[in-house]
Amino acid sequence: GTLPSPDPAGLRAVLDAAVGRGAPGATARIDDRGTVTEVTVGLADRRTGRVLDGRDRFRIGSVTKTFSAVVLMQLADEGRLDLDAPVNRYLPGLLPDDAITVRHVLGHRSGLYDYADRLFARTVPGFEAVRTRVFTYRELVDLSLRHPRLNRPGAAYSYANTNFVVAGMLIERLTGHPVGAELRERVFRPLRLRDTFYVHPGTAIPGRHARGYLTPDRPGDALVDATEQTVSWAQSAGAVVSSTRDVGTFLSALLSGRLTSPARLREMRRTVRVSDTQGYGLGLRRRDLFCGVSVYGHTGAVQGYYTYAFATKDGRRSLTAFATTSNNGPVLDTLAGTLDSAFCGKPPH
Ligand SMILES: C[C@@H](NC(=O)[C@@H](C)NC(=O)CCCC[C@H](NC(=O)C[NH3+])C(=O)[O-])C(=O)O
């Protein structure tokens, strides 16, 4: 059916609230079959006072997981990957349990522990300890395997960055190319995503970008400029840099069936329950909004940057929003309101 019109005033109110709760800047872009609504509030750089621009690039964090999943779904379409095969068939001896399949990994049902929980138990020291470090995939998986698994393979949803590190290892093993090269060839170039880069292990965001500020755990402590980091702790789980326009283009292309076969797209959208209003498919989140619309995409949280990137099931309308802080629950919860403004229109009075 037809969606309510987007609510630009509501969108601005949400972004103003996010800035009011501690984000230096926030921006959102709705693309409704070519009709674009864009709202931007606050600063790109607190030191120089440069104001945020809707075209500024930023770190999309776990929205990267959707990009990595697309590469593996394409390999499945090409007959080079069996989603129900054990990961260990392609990466012998990697995981302690042959029963963990590729599908379990892409749906966060492997039970593998999320090493990021340990790395970032103390937010700022944890970040400072890894911000210039370069990890191998194997080191990250080994960090996870030091801990007991959370569930038997396939038995439950338990989010872990480890799963999309394994996804990156699968991409490199199956193609013989680095993840960045596969993302460029299969997604960035075909869709002409000129603001989108897989940046690892370099720490600099290419071109004009928003600076990201990490909120410390202790209230009142100064924000930490987290813009430059290797994101080596995440890589194929979180290292893509992009823009609101490019992420919207990507999600619309994916959900309108331009990146995979219809069968693979159906598999990506087949979700397991995360909560009453949320599900997780393969590298894809589903959120059910109060107005009865379900949207598909991903959230992101990398030091200094929160992202919401979702689109309608057919990809005809997309919303990409980011705020230039992280580790700030009120900002993350506030930013979720961009979905309501984008897909549910004006709230019922
Ligand atoms: C949530 C999102 N996940 C991601 O984007 C991945 C890449 N990020 C994380 O797992 C959080 C790492 C800690 C961030 C740090 N937090 C702390 O350090 C907390 N002690 C921060 O907020 O910057 C998703 O999949 O939806």
Side-chain angles (χ1 to χ4, degrees), residues 182-236:
E182 288 296 317
L183 285 170
R184 270 191 301 281
E185 286 312 303
R186 292 173 176 273
V187 184
F188 303 170
R189 281 184 44 203
L191 294 182
R192 292 179 175 70
L193 304 182
R194 307 230 187 288
D195 296 324
T196 304
F197 304 85
Y198 183 77
V199 182
H200 178 262
T203 59
I205 299 174
R208 205 180 67 179
H209 54 276
R211 301 199 70 80
Y213 299 92
L214 178 60
T215 301
D217 289 333
R218 193 166 42 205
D221 279 7
L223 294 180
V224 174
D225 187 331
T227 310
E228 276 81 33
Q229 70 157 305
T230 58
V231 199
S232 198
W233 61 268
Q235 296 185 53
S236 42

Side-chain angles (χ1 to χ4, degrees), residues 63 79 93 127-128 130 167 195 209 232 282 347:
V63 181
F127 171 61
E128 297 292 2
V130 302
D195 296 324
H209 54 276
S232 198
L282 302 181

Side-chain angles (χ1 to χ4, degrees), residues 58-65 116 120 123 127 130-131 159 161 199 205 210-215 224-235 237-242 299-308 322-328 332:
F58 66 102
R59 295 186 185 281
I60 69 172
S62 283
V63 181
T64 300
K65 292 178 169 75
F120 304 122
T123 301
F127 171 61
V130 302
R131 72 180 296 171
Y159 181 91
N161 288 291
V199 182
I205 299 174
R211 301 199 70 80
Y213 299 92
L214 178 60
T215 301
V224 174
D225 187 331
T227 310
E228 276 81 33
Q229 70 157 305
T230 58
V231 199
S232 198
W233 61 268
Q235 296 185 53
V240 168
V241 163
S242 191
T299 45
V302 58
Q303 285 83 359
Y305 303 89
Y306 277 141
T307 307
Y308 274 86
F322 74 87
T324 62
T325 193
S326 65
N327 195 45
N328 183 323
L332 182 63

Side-chain angles (χ1 to χ4, degrees), residues 229-308:
Q229 70 157 305
T230 58
V231 199
S232 198
W233 61 268
Q235 296 185 53
S236 42
V240 168
V241 163
S242 191
S243 64
T244 55
R245 180 186 58 181
D246 278 6
V247 171
T249 301
F250 165 69
L251 276 184
S252 291
L254 170 61
L255 291 165
S256 62
R258 300 212 306 275
L259 292 175
T260 68
S261 67
R264 295 293 86 69
L265 176 57
R266 275 194 299 277
E267 291 187 87
M268 288 185 82
R269 284 195 307 232
R270 189 173 304 132
T271 58
V272 297
R273 187 186 182 284
V274 172
S275 74
D276 286 349
T277 58
Q278 296 189 34
Y280 202 97
L282 302 181
L284 209 52
R285 291 187 184 283
R286 190 199 80 248
R287 289 174 85 112
D288 305 329
L289 305 180
F290 76 86
C291 60
V293 173
S294 289
V295 291
Y296 293 80
H298 219 287
T299 45
V302 58
Q303 285 83 359
Y305 303 89
Y306 277 141
T307 307
Y308 274 86

Side-chain angles (χ1 to χ4, degrees), residues 34-216:
T35 304
V36 173
T37 305
E38 195 169 64
V39 178
T40 305
V41 178
L43 298 178
D45 186 326
R46 298 175 75 225
R47 187 177 57 77
T48 66
R50 179 167 75 82
V51 297
L52 185 62
D53 182 294
R55 288 161 301 176
D56 283 348
R57 293 163 182 173
F58 66 102
R59 295 186 185 281
I60 69 172
S62 283
V63 181
T64 300
K65 292 178 169 75
T66 310
F67 284 85
S68 296
V70 164
V71 173
L72 287 173
M73 299 313 273
Q74 289 187 353
L75 289 169
D77 276 329
E78 293 157 19
R80 299 162 66 182
L81 171 68
D82 175 353
L83 293 172
D84 292 309
V87 167
N88 285 349
R89 175 187 302 174
Y90 304 106
L91 297 162
L94 179 73
L95 300 181
D97 188 336
D98 281 347
I100 296 174
T101 67
V102 176
R103 195 186 302 275
H104 291 151
V105 160
L106 293 180
H108 291 298
R109 293 189 293 136
S110 67
L112 292 169
Y113 175 79
D114 187 355
Y115 55 80
D117 289 349
R118 247 317 167 286
L119 284 181
F120 304 122
R122 295 186 310 138
T123 301
V124 174
F127 171 61
E128 297 292 2
V130 302
R131 72 180 296 171
T132 59
R133 269 195 69 177
V134 180
F135 293 93
T136 64
Y137 283 135
R138 168 73 56 158
E139 283 172 329
L140 295 174
V141 172
D142 289 346
L143 281 179
S144 168
L145 295 180
R146 285 187 196 154
H147 304 273
R149 278 173 282 136
L150 300 167
N151 52 262
R152 280 188 332 318
Y157 166 84
S158 44
Y159 181 91
N161 288 291
T162 320
N163 289 312
F164 279 80
V165 167
V166 172
M169 296 176 85
L170 284 167
I171 290 171
E172 299 203 341
R173 172 61 54 87
L174 292 168
T175 65
H177 303 141
V179 165
E182 288 296 317
L183 285 170
R184 270 191 301 281
E185 286 312 303
R186 292 173 176 273
V187 184
F188 303 170
R189 281 184 44 203
L191 294 182
R192 292 179 175 70
L193 304 182
R194 307 230 187 288
D195 296 324
T196 304
F197 304 85
Y198 183 77
V199 182
H200 178 262
T203 59
I205 299 174
R208 205 180 67 179
H209 54 276
R211 301 199 70 80
Y213 299 92
L214 178 60
T215 301

